[in-house]
């Protein structure tokens, strides 16, 4: 067998896998091949939405399911044994795998990322691959696990047999939490972006500690009923009869599969606790309060719970005098795990002071890069009254006939202290205009308003702008706020992907937190957003990808300048498109200028005690009297397209400019590109590499309106070279008559290949499979045609010579 003629896959099957099995690895449960661990970044360019290439490890070895300890990167035998080690190390860093191997079928290069081996990197023969026991012993020593800790760490994950498996970062998070607790740590913080499955991660962590017998009574705390109910019927469902909700309110909840369940309750109508359960889920507002009789948690002894998990712990638990902290202090002897998407760090409040540094972090930026979270576009709309302010005319009277105080009112006053209804109507018009121009007036939309009264007026303005659809169904536009029962009753329908109505919802704060709105495609900000935490929470309402409904990105329309948070160093997002149309321009970004990706957000729901945007009065005080002024008018000043680049700077650029910049990062000069192109045996490989990085050359060609070879497209866009058409390139090769040294049949094949390039732009002409289609089938069998070149090697050589001739012209 000529090992050098084998493909990479053959090397894996014939040499690497047998070596692994000889070392004692169980192929069925410990070895996985071609492991895709990311989804591939979602790239949005105008109407074109694509995914970048998903990352794939050739082999991942597991000591037990979901406990990966080794990774192997394979190459064919034309590469050196260690050729794949750097790629393997990159993947292993993402997957948090300590032991990395590279192989070409001759042997292995072994790299120990723990740093405990000397030397760190060694060469091994095929028969010297380490056994599972040997690598696990190294892993144990690296992690510092004693026998008791090892027993907990090796406890199985929950598996319902459906094939559902945690994503790689969820595995990393669960294993990090379990290992920390197994080694005695009693305060653990996990930071994971909204939409990345914090609750599922919490479930797997609790399940393993519970099944291992390390934690027998567990309390899961959240601050929204909908979060508790969703958790019971979905992620925590396997706990079954061992689980109950700390509530007296019996409810029937519909599961994701359509079945219904009555929530099990741990309280009777007299608020007496049933202590027979093991897993308790509680709304912190339901078990504590300012009055002693409301502090239900004190009915439990301080040592009753072994483990407490606090969902969205940034909201209140970070403050020392908060209701959350009161509960946590009562159960101070329990291990406590905090889950958050936006850890709170201010001068006065700190999560890390209480929980310590996070044992695991999965950022918004990483979620976008991996393709698990949706990118987004931003439309910035500047209204004249917000930019220039409003000063009433002398003697101006409000709607009630009272004289309006003579002062300059600015953006922070509008809809809080003074209401210019013309501004509200204009905002509703722009939102409706966007929906109409986008071609989809049924995309789920959340409009964030200053307060509940503003949300009511915005609802009315949207109803009037969308009267045709409201006439069909009055639930097309609804207000969903804390005091509006009719609206709250529709919250479940809004977040249900199967429910058409409601479509447009107005709110103040209710929908900024914790609501799993998977199909939300449009978020509108018509209120200031004071904190970075809250900004991420609001953005997070749209970051979930929903493939069934083709929701791969979303749009954020900003009327109040809230997106200035993009410039904040604490915003850990990727480049995001920002569009600010000029007066008279459509509110939807034009296709030729759309681009860039954004990142998702988080959840929050702090109780507002002192709001700097609302100084007079506070919680519990009389509502502020608003001044209503009619007939003032409002107009849009500006809307434009910008991108936040990777350095956080706003730059204006078209798709062509974006492509040019990206290409120049990959190819330092024209000579650099020409060398790469000439040396590449497969020209298509360069195109695939660019596409995986988000550069879809077809979209640029469409914008230019030219049917260009990718080679010419790159030379033209990146280096300003005059392009040649494929027809011109093919004719130049014919003029040079480069086929004369071949026989009649071989010349006919090369001539037909040249035609295929001219007409279809095929780059991988050396792939013998091309000979299986017309016109080649009429010339003879594949074997006969290749024989005309003296064999496969001669065929490939002839095609490569033809390709070199094709690209001789670079001017």
């Amino acid at each position: 067998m000529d090992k050098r003629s084998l493909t990479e896959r053959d090397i894996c099957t014939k040499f690497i896998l047998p070596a692994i099995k000889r070392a004692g690895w169980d192929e069925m449960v410990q070895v996985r091949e071609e492991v895709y661990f990311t989804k591939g970044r979602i790239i949005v360019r105008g109407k074109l939405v694509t995914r970048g290439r998903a990352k794939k490890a050739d082999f991942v070895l597991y000591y037990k399911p979901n406990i990966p300890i080794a990774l192997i990167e394979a190459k064919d035998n034309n590469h050196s044994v260690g050729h794949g080690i750097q790629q393997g190390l990159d993947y292993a860093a993402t997957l948090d795998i300590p032991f990395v191997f590279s192989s070409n079928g001759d042997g292995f290069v072994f790299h120990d990322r723990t740093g405990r081996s000397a030397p760190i990197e060694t060469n091994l023969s095929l028969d010297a691959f380490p056994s599972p026991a040997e690598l696990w012993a190294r892993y144990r020593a690296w992690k510092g696990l004693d026998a008791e800790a090892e027993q907990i760490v090796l406890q199985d994950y929950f598996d319902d047999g459906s094939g559902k498996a945690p994503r790689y970062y969820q595995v990393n998070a669960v294993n990090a939490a379990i290992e920390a607790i197994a080694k005695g740590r009693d305060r653990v913080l996990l930071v994971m972006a909204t939409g990345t499955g914090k609750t599922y991660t919490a479930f797997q962590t609790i399940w393993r500690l519970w099944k291992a017998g390390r934690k027998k009574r567990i309390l899961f705390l959240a601050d929204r009923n909908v979060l508790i109910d969703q958790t019971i019927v979905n992620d925590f469902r396997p706990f079954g009869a061992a689980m109950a909700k700390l509530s007296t309110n019996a409810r029937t909840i519909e599961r994701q599969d359509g079945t219904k369940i009555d929530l099990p309750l741990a309280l009777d109508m007299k608020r007496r606790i049933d202590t027979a359960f093991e897993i308790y889920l509680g709304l912190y507002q339901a078990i504590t309060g300012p009055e002693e009789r409301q502090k239900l948690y004190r009915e439990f002894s301080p040592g009753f719970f072994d483990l407490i998990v606090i969902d969205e712990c940034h909201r209140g638990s970070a403050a020392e005098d908060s209701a959350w902290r009161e509960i946590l202090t009562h159960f101070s002897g329990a291990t406590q795990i905090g889950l958050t998407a936006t850890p709170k760090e201010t001068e006065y409040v700190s999560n890390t002071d209480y929980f310590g540094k996070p044992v695991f972090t999965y950022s918004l930026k990483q979620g976008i890069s991996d393709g698990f979270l949706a990118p987004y576009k931003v439309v910035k709309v500047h209204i004249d009254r917000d930019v220039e302010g409003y000063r009433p005319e002398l003697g101006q009277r409000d709607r009630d006939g009272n004289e309006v105080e003579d002062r300059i009112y600015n953006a922070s006053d509008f809809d809080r202290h003074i209401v210019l209804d013309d501004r509200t109507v204009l905002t509703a018009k722009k939102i409706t205009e966007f929906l109409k121009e986008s071609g989809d007036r049924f995309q789920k939309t959340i409009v964030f308003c200053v307060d509940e009264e503003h949300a009511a007026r915005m609802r009315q303005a949207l109803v009037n702008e969308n009267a045709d659809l409201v006439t069909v169904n009055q639930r097309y536009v609804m207000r969903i706020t804390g005091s509006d029962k009719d609206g709250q009753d529709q919250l479940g329908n809004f977040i249900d992907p199967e429910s058409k109505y409601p479509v447009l919802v107005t709110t103040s704060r209710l929908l900024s937190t914790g609501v799993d709105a998977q199909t939300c495609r449009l978020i509108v900000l018509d209120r200031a957003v004071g904190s970075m935490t809250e900004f991420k929470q609001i953005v997070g309402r749209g970051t979930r990808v929903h493939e069934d409904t083709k929701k791969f990105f979303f749009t954020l329309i900003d009327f109040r300048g809230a997106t200035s948070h993009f410039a904040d160093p604490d915003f850990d997002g990727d480049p995001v498109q920002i569009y600010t149309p000029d007066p008279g321009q459509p509110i939807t970004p034009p296709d030729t200028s759309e681009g860039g990706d954004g990142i998702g957000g988080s959840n929050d729901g702090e109780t507002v005690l002192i709001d700097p945007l609302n100084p007079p009065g506070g919680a519990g005080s009389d509502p502020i009297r608003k001044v209503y002024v009619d007939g003032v008018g409002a107009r849009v000043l500006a809307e434009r397209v910008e991108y936040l680049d990777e350095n956080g700077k706003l730059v204006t650029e078209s798709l062509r400019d974006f492509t040019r910049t990206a290409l120049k990062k990959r190819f330092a000069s024209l000579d650099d590109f020409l060398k790469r192109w000439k040396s590449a045996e497969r020209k298509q490989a360069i195109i695939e590499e660019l596409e995986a990085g988000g550069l879809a050359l077809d979209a640029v060609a469409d914008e230019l309106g030219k049917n260009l070879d990718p080679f010419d497209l790159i030379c033209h866009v990146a280096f300003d070279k005059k392009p040649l058409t494929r027809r011109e390139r093919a004719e130049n090769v014919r003029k040079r008559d480069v086929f004369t040294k071949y026989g009649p049949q071989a010349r006919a094949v090369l001539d037909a290949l040249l035609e295929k390039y001219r007409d279809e732009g095929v780059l991988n002409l050396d792939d013998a499979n091309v000979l299986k289609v017309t016109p080649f089938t009429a010339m003879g069998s594949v074997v006969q045609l290749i024989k005309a070149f003296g064999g496969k090697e001669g065929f490939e050589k002839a095609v490569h010579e033809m390709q070199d001739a094709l690209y001789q012209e670079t001017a």
Side-chain angles (χ1 to χ4, degrees):
M1 182 186 298
D2 179 9
K3 202 185 262 191
R4 287 184 176 271
S5 69
L6 297 179
T7 64
E8 181 181 296
R9 201 69 245 145
D10 281 333
I11 293 294
C12 291
T13 303
K14 293 177 170 59
F15 296 95
I16 299 175
L17 184 58
I20 296 169
K21 291 163 70 175
R22 285 196 300 272
W25 294 85
D26 186 328
E27 183 181 3
M28 296 305 293
V29 297
Q30 292 184 306
V31 181
R32 284 186 62 200
E33 297 184 62
E34 296 193 296
V35 181
Y36 286 90
F37 56 92
T38 70
K39 291 277 286 183
R41 183 190 183 95
I42 297 170
I43 303 115
V44 182
R45 297 277 176 253
K47 291 188 173 73
L48 177 71
V49 181
T50 61
R51 273 196 185 274
R53 188 181 302 165
K55 291 185 178 180
K56 177 192 71 175
D58 291 320
F59 289 89
V60 177
L61 307 185
Y62 301 81
Y63 187 67
K64 288 193 73 175
N66 292 310
I67 303 180
I69 60 171
L71 180 147
I72 305 171
E73 183 59 31
K75 298 296 176 186
D76 64 37
N77 201 249
N78 293 297
H79 295 87
S80 66
V81 66
H83 188 82
I85 198 70
Q86 291 188 159
Q87 185 177 348
L89 286 169
D90 179 53
Y91 290 171
T94 299
L95 295 170
D96 196 24
I97 291 176
F99 309 120
V100 184
F101 298 83
S102 172
S103 179
N104 66 351
D106 290 338
F108 296 95
V109 169
F110 170 43
H111 184 107
D112 183 354
R113 293 183 62 240
T114 71
R116 300 173 68 88
S117 299
I120 290 176
E121 213 161 85
T122 54
N123 290 296
L124 304 174
S125 69
L126 282 177
D127 293 327
F129 195 85
S131 68
E134 182 181 342
L135 287 188
W136 181 249
R138 289 173 180 249
Y139 186 94
R140 274 189 59 184
W142 173 49
K143 292 290 187 178
L145 303 177
D146 59 23
E148 183 183 358
E150 180 186 30
Q151 180 187 358
I152 299 166
V153 168
L154 291 178
Q155 178 62 46
D156 290 333
Y157 279 66
F158 173 77
D159 183 358
D160 63 2
S162 68
K164 178 181 179 180
R167 294 169 175 171
Y168 84 86
Y169 61 84
Q170 293 170 336
V171 168
N172 290 353
V174 173
N175 290 346
I178 294 290
E179 287 169 7
I181 292 168
K183 290 191 288 186
R185 184 164 169 173
D186 59 5
R187 299 290 182 271
V188 174
L189 183 63
L190 298 176
V191 178
M192 297 172 66
T194 296
T196 56
K198 288 190 295 297
T199 311
Y200 177 70
T201 300
F203 161 71
Q204 288 288 6
T205 304
I206 295 169
W207 178 270
R208 292 175 67 197
L209 291 169
W210 183 56
K211 282 293 185 180
R214 181 66 175 257
K215 305 298 177 187
K216 297 178 181 178
R217 285 201 181 98
I218 295 127
L219 173 63
F220 181 88
L221 278 175
D223 75 341
R224 289 294 169 96
N225 248 320
V226 66
L227 298 181
I228 295 291
D229 296 347
Q230 285 176 355
T231 299
I232 289 175
V233 300
N234 295 321
D235 288 326
F236 279 34
R237 180 177 176 179
F239 286 124
M243 168 182 61
K245 180 180 178 181
L246 284 168
S247 173
T248 59
N249 182 21
R251 291 187 64 197
T252 300
I253 302 293
E254 186 172 331
R255 291 186 172 124
Q256 289 173 337
D257 59 9
T259 60
K260 294 184 177 180
I261 181 175
D262 292 326
L263 294 182
L265 303 180
L267 295 179
D268 62 20
M269 296 309 294
K270 295 183 178 179
R271 290 173 63 84
R272 290 177 299 200
I273 299 171
D274 185 343
T275 59
F277 295 100
E278 296 175 72
I279 315 292
Y280 293 81
L281 293 92
L283 198 66
Y284 86 88
Q285 298 97 318
I287 62 174
T288 189
E291 299 178 26
E292 195 62 31
R293 63 179 181 82
Q294 296 172 306
K295 299 185 187 300
L296 181 68
Y297 70 89
R298 291 187 177 172
E299 298 297 316
F300 293 101
S301 66
F304 185 84
F305 292 111
D306 305 309
L307 173 67
I308 299 179
V309 178
I310 309 98
D311 192 25
E312 301 302 347
C313 65
H314 60 272
R315 295 186 188 161
S317 58
E320 289 186 20
D321 59 352
S322 69
W324 290 75
R325 184 64 71 87
E326 190 178 38
I327 300 170
L328 300 185
T329 302
H330 181 74
F331 299 113
S332 60
T335 297
Q336 296 173 5
I337 301 175
L339 305 173
T340 184
T342 52
K344 176 162 284 189
E345 293 295 326
T346 71
E347 183 181 352
Y348 308 105
V349 175
S350 172
N351 263 347
T352 57
D353 279 352
Y354 185 80
F355 288 102
K357 290 185 178 179
V359 298
F360 176 78
T361 298
Y362 188 70
S363 70
L364 310 173
K365 181 177 181 179
Q366 190 64 46
I368 288 291
S369 179
D370 288 344
F372 294 118
L373 294 179
Y376 65 94
K377 311 172 187 180
V378 173
V379 178
K380 294 177 74 171
V381 181
H382 300 310
I383 295 175
D384 60 346
R385 298 300 177 188
D386 298 344
V387 175
E388 300 166 356
Y390 164 66
R391 184 174 182 179
E393 295 178 3
L394 186 64
Q396 175 83 51
R397 296 190 178 276
D398 66 13
R399 192 178 293 171
D400 298 326
N402 301 312
E403 189 168 332
V404 180
E405 180 188 352
D406 182 18
R407 69 177 180 87
I408 296 177
Y409 296 89
N410 55 37
S412 63
D413 292 309
F414 298 138
D415 299 299
R416 189 174 296 278
H417 302 118
I418 188 168
V419 174
L420 306 180
D421 228 24
D422 288 343
R423 187 196 175 284
T424 308
V425 170
L426 176 63
T427 302
K429 281 182 182 295
K430 298 303 288 184
I431 295 168
T432 305
E433 184 183 322
F434 175 87
L435 293 168
K436 289 178 177 177
E437 290 175 0
S438 71
D440 180 11
R441 293 176 69 188
F442 281 88
Q443 51 187 298
K444 295 289 180 84
T445 300
I446 305 174
V447 184
F448 287 99
C449 302
V450 169
D451 55 23
E452 295 195 7
E453 185 273 343
H454 181 207
R457 285 187 293 103
M458 183 61 71
R459 176 202 156 275
Q460 182 179 347
L462 287 167
V463 164
N464 290 333
E465 291 297 324
N466 295 275
D468 56 336
L469 297 180
V470 173
T471 301
V472 175
N473 191 311
Q474 65 182 23
R475 291 185 298 141
Y476 178 76
V477 185
M478 293 202 73
R479 181 181 75 154
I480 301 180
T481 57
S483 65
D484 191 328
K485 184 180 184 304
D486 290 334
Q488 286 203 47
D489 288 345
Q490 291 298 319
L491 178 57
N493 287 327
F494 179 72
I495 65 179
D496 181 359
E498 302 297 321
S499 181
K500 188 174 184 178
Y501 298 101
V503 180
L504 314 184
V505 300
T506 66
T507 188
S508 55
R509 291 182 179 272
L510 184 63
L511 289 173
S512 69
T513 65
V515 176
D516 189 5
Q518 301 175 53
T519 57
C520 178
R521 296 171 186 265
L522 178 62
I523 292 173
V524 179
L525 287 172
D526 196 29
R527 70 171 172 87
V529 181
S531 72
M532 174 61 70
T533 297
E534 187 179 17
F535 180 65
K536 288 183 179 180
Q537 296 148 13
I538 289 174
V539 172
R541 296 313 98 226
T543 54
R544 285 171 173 82
V545 174
H546 197 263
E547 302 207 11
D548 289 348
T549 57
K550 305 295 182 186
K551 185 234 168 168
F552 295 105
F553 68 96
F554 69 103
T555 304
L556 190 154
I557 301 180
D558 177 20
F559 288 94
R560 300 276 184 151
T563 48
S564 60
H565 283 297
F566 289 139
D568 192 308
D570 289 339
F571 189 80
D572 62 346
D574 271 15
V576 76
Q577 180 195 1
I578 301 180
Y579 173 54
T580 313
D582 291 327
Q585 285 188 322
I587 192 170
T588 50
D591 290 346
T592 56
S593 328
E594 289 184 298
D597 305 308
I599 52 92
S602 161
N603 301 331
D604 191 70
E606 295 131 342
T607 301
V608 179
L609 301 176
I610 300 176
D611 186 347
L613 296 175
N614 186 8
S621 65
D622 293 333
I624 300 167
R625 177 186 175 274
K626 295 185 181 183
V627 177
Y628 294 82
V629 183
D630 298 326
V632 171
R635 61 188 176 88
V636 171
L637 283 181
E639 302 169 61
R640 72 177 177 275
V641 178
E642 293 179 315
Y643 300 82
L644 228 75
D645 68 11
E646 61 269 29
N647 300 314
K649 294 181 180 178
L650 286 174
V651 293
T652 302
E653 60 182 352
S654 67
L655 175 57
R656 178 174 177 172
D657 293 333
F658 173 88
T659 306
R660 177 189 180 95
T661 302
L663 286 171
K664 286 202 162 187
K665 285 181 181 177
R666 290 177 179 270
F667 309 114
S669 63
L670 177 60
D671 285 342
D672 180 37
F673 167 66
L674 293 176
K675 287 176 185 175
R676 281 282 309 278
W677 187 266
K678 187 174 182 180
S679 64
E681 288 188 13
R682 286 185 64 246
K683 313 301 181 188
Q684 187 65 30
I686 294 178
I687 309 307
E688 290 170 359
E689 180 186 324
L690 293 174
E691 288 177 349
L695 289 171
L697 296 180
D698 288 346
V700 187
D702 290 343
E703 181 180 312
L704 293 175
K706 296 179 180 178
N707 188 16
L708 297 179
D709 182 294
F711 173 88
D712 283 284
L713 195 64
I714 293 170
C715 289
H716 179 55
V717 171
F719 306 109
D720 297 318
K721 286 292 179 183
K722 180 182 177 182
L724 295 177
T725 65
R726 290 200 302 267
R727 178 179 291 276
E728 288 172 328
R729 290 201 173 278
E731 289 305 316
N732 286 341
V733 171
R734 282 205 174 90
K735 288 175 185 175
R736 287 196 293 271
D737 205 11
V738 297
F739 302 155
T740 53
K741 62 181 177 180
Y742 298 102
Q745 191 173 34
R747 281 203 304 272
V749 170
L750 290 172
D751 198 55
L753 284 172
L754 198 59
E755 287 290 312
K756 208 150 193 70
Y757 163 81
R758 188 192 72 179
D759 297 336
E760 301 174 29
V762 177
L763 293 182
N764 54 334
L765 297 172
D766 57 347
D767 184 349
N769 286 320
V770 77
L771 302 178
K772 295 179 180 178
V773 299
T774 56
F776 304 101
T777 50
M779 299 180 185
S781 68
V782 174
V783 174
Q784 287 173 332
L785 296 181
I786 289 180
K787 193 174 180 181
F789 293 89
K792 184 179 179 183
E793 191 173 321
F795 169 71
E796 291 176 349
K797 181 181 178 184
V799 174
H800 290 157
E801 286 177 356
M802 184 178 75
Q803 286 182 321
D804 288 342
L806 275 171
Y807 299 113
Q808 269 187 357
E809 300 289 340
T810 58

